[in-house]
Amino acid sequence: MSRYREANCKVCKRNNEKLFLKGERCETPKCVIEKLRSDSRKKNFRAKRMSEYGIRLREKQKLRYSYGVTETQMRNNFKKASKMKGITGYNLLLNFERRIDNVIYRAGFASSRKAARQFALHGHFRLNDKKVDIPSILLKIGDEISVKKSSLERFKPVVEKMETENLPSWLSFDKARQKITV
């Protein structure tokens, strides 16, 4: 398995945009982008104009890094998205949003997608009452995600916070059963 193992802040710096790869650190003044914005020496730096190809490549790389997928996974998802009815770009984003690691991140169980991926790999969550340890599983409408009983203590503060926090419109939280429904 190949993963990007270098410094995540370098990716944000290269894209000159916050990608929130480090979770809560990106909200603090320690963020590289915040340091660049406050550094007076860098203000006079003039970026080289990029070609149309360069702009599209940069956007694709941003998408890859923010969802934590490899080039092969990106290519395979693009093939699936192009075979689906509708707009290919929309379908590609839909496929990435439906991954279980992204749903765990969107629900607020993890501060970043990398942490959500780690939680899924370690088997902290169950999908339709079955153990899941593959973070790239695509969810369907009506799938239910719950925290494993042995991991409930770890996620108890998050579950309590979920009642007050806003979830995306395509996710719903059942407080009595402590399950997230897509």
Side-chain angles (χ1 to χ4, degrees):
M1 284 195 329
S2 66
R3 288 281 143 224
Y4 182 76
R5 297 178 191 271
E6 301 300 319
N8 291 322
C9 293
K10 284 185 181 180
V11 175
C12 292
K13 190 174 179 180
R14 189 179 313 133
N15 290 306
N16 201 18
E17 186 176 325
K18 279 188 184 184
L19 298 177
F20 298 97
L21 300 176
K22 295 285 269 190
E24 294 169 0
R25 181 187 171 121
C26 292
E27 302 292 338
T28 65
K30 290 183 177 181
C31 179
V32 173
I33 300 298
E34 293 298 325
K35 287 180 181 178
L36 282 176
R37 289 180 183 159
S38 66
D39 193 5
S40 61
R41 292 176 292 169
K42 301 284 183 182
K43 287 184 180 176
N44 294 332
F45 177 74
R46 191 168 170 159
K48 198 170 125 177
R49 185 170 166 88
M50 288 190 1
S51 66
E52 186 67 28
Y53 173 78
I55 292 169
R56 289 183 183 188
L57 178 64
R58 182 63 37 219
E59 290 300 317
K60 183 199 67 131
Q61 295 294 66
K62 274 193 243 181
L63 186 69
R64 261 192 60 218
Y65 285 121
S66 62
Y67 283 103
V69 295
T70 61
E71 187 65 36
T72 306
Q73 288 174 321
M74 182 76 167
R75 201 174 305 120
N76 291 338
N77 274 312
F78 183 78
K79 286 178 187 174
K80 284 181 193 174
S82 62
K83 290 178 183 175
M84 293 168 65
K85 289 183 180 177
I87 302 168
T88 305
Y90 177 76
N91 292 336
L92 182 66
L93 286 176
L94 190 67
N95 283 345
F96 285 142
E97 286 291 322
R98 286 179 21 215
R99 287 170 49 115
I100 194 164
D101 57 350
N102 186 65
V103 172
I104 292 169
Y105 167 70
R106 293 281 186 203
F109 283 110
S111 62
S112 68
R113 284 189 180 91
K114 279 193 174 187
R117 179 180 181 79
Q118 191 78 357
F119 289 151
L121 276 170
H122 287 217
H124 289 295
F125 292 91
R126 299 177 64 81
L127 174 63
N128 298 329
D129 293 328
K130 293 179 185 169
K131 182 184 173 188
V132 174
D133 58 356
I134 300 170
S136 62
I137 288 178
L138 287 180
L139 303 177
K140 297 182 276 288
I141 295 174
D143 282 347
E144 293 181 338
I145 300 169
S146 59
V147 180
K148 198 168 76 171
K149 287 184 177 157
S150 60
S151 304
L152 262 175
E153 199 61 39
R154 167 185 230 129
F155 295 105
K156 198 165 201 100
V158 176
V159 172
E160 291 170 1
K161 192 172 85 172
M162 284 178 75
E163 300 164 8
T164 59
E165 200 172 286
N166 293 333
L167 285 174
S169 61
W170 49 278
L171 291 177
S172 63
F173 178 66
D174 184 11
K175 181 184 173 186
R177 298 185 313 160
Q178 293 189 345
K179 290 189 176 186
I180 298 169
T181 307
V182 179

